[in-house]
Amino acid sequence: MEPQKPVEAGTLRTQEDAYRKAFTRFLAGTDEKSNTHAYLRDMVGRLHARQVLLDVGPADGTTTRYLAPYFERTVCIEPSEPMRHALQRACPQAEVVGEPVMEARIEARADLALLSHVLYYVPRTEWVATVSRIMRWLAPGGLLLVLLQNPDEACMRMVRHFTGARFDLRELADELAALPPGLISGIELDTVPASYRSSDLDETVATAAFHLSIPGTPAPRREAVEAYVREHLRNGEGEYVLRHDQHALRLQRPAS
């Protein structure tokens, strides 16, 4: 097999074919979706109302399609045109808004809003403003779930090694807690376990490269990624294991 050319940094998510291929490879070896969906199902069960779901940055719509049947109406914000095409195929009943969060106009008030693995693509200085805007689209008592990978696990240690980037929802939680009262009535942080496993080196390197497509950072050479995978991800049984637990930040809107 010829060496794969690295994807230019920050472009993978907007290239539908490349993104879907890389994402499919990743999903084939991870328990992330099953664990995440079980967690989300538990969160949905705790809601007082299930009229509107708001999914911000749903990408190909896999999770949107899973959650939509629990709600009467589904609204999505997805600025990427290729991802909107995939979303419409996966969840045709969803109402899709194409503008970015800070420009979008949402009339519905959501009982559950989801911001899953989107903040990697948002400048760190805009995290609080982005989350605050979404909070204002919640119904009284509504819940916003913000998901990112745990920065202390193997996957994000790899990202930090190659790019220097660190994404930590604990920092965001502290900043949101310091906001004036009225917008957020409760902040909790959960951990959702996830692990990728493969016996195939090329598949693991491709998966690693998928996680290393971070906006604003240089794309590492495949040879460097392969060397890292061999040294850090191979276990004693000849299998490659990439732990990538997720942090889930639960933000509650006041009931009144």
Side-chain angles (χ1 to χ4, degrees), residues 58-249:
D60 68 350
T62 301
T63 297
T64 317
R65 179 175 57 195
Y66 175 78
L67 289 175
Y70 292 102
F71 295 85
E72 297 178 15
R73 181 183 177 190
T74 298
V75 180
C76 297
I77 298 176
E78 180 49 74
S80 166
E81 184 177 359
M83 291 299 104
R84 289 200 297 273
H85 293 325
L87 171 63
Q88 288 166 353
R89 290 193 295 267
C91 193
Q93 72 271 37
E95 304 168 30
V96 183
V97 176
E99 290 77 23
V101 167
M102 301 309 291
E103 300 174 16
R105 299 183 65 180
I106 304 296
E107 302 301 331
R109 291 297 171 258
D111 300 292
L112 175 66
L114 181 63
L115 185 68
S116 180
H117 297 280
V118 171
L119 290 181
Y120 309 119
Y121 307 95
V122 177
R124 181 63 182 85
T125 54
E126 298 177 15
W127 280 18
V128 170
T130 298
V131 169
S132 296
R133 184 165 176 82
I134 297 171
M135 289 296 299
R136 293 184 175 91
W137 291 327
L138 291 179
L143 177 68
L144 169 60
L145 296 175
V146 184
L147 273 65
L148 283 183
Q149 287 195 30
N150 180 343
D152 300 326
E153 291 293 353
C155 185
M156 296 310 285
R157 290 200 303 270
M158 177 183 69
V159 169
R160 193 156 59 250
H161 170 82
F162 281 104
T163 71
R166 179 180 175 85
F167 308 90
D168 196 338
L169 284 182
R170 292 168 296 199
E171 297 174 358
L172 175 61
D174 290 340
E175 294 173 15
L176 293 172
L179 292 178
L183 184 63
I184 302 173
S185 61
I187 302 175
E188 300 289 342
L189 187 70
D190 300 324
T191 299
V192 183
S195 185
Y196 171 88
R197 295 177 179 271
S198 176
S199 59
D200 188 294
L201 175 62
D202 287 327
E203 290 292 328
T204 306
V205 171
T207 294
F210 169 73
H211 286 287
L212 292 170
S213 180
I214 303 294
T217 64
R221 301 299 303 174
R222 185 189 189 281
E223 293 80 2
V225 178
E226 180 176 330
Y228 187 96
V229 167
R230 289 181 181 274
E231 180 178 357
H232 296 282
L233 303 186
R234 190 172 184 178
N235 64 16
E237 300 174 357
E239 187 179 40
Y240 300 97
V241 180
L242 183 63
R243 189 69 185 254
H244 57 102
D245 291 4
Q246 300 171 90
H247 274 165
L249 187 62

Side-chain angles (χ1 to χ4, degrees), residues 33-51:
K33 281 300 178 187
S34 59
N35 291 349
T36 302
H37 287 180
Y39 171 79
L40 293 175
R41 185 169 62 248
D42 179 54
M43 292 297 106
V44 169
R46 302 183 190 187
L47 297 174
H48 297 298
R50 301 177 191 170
Q51 293 182 333

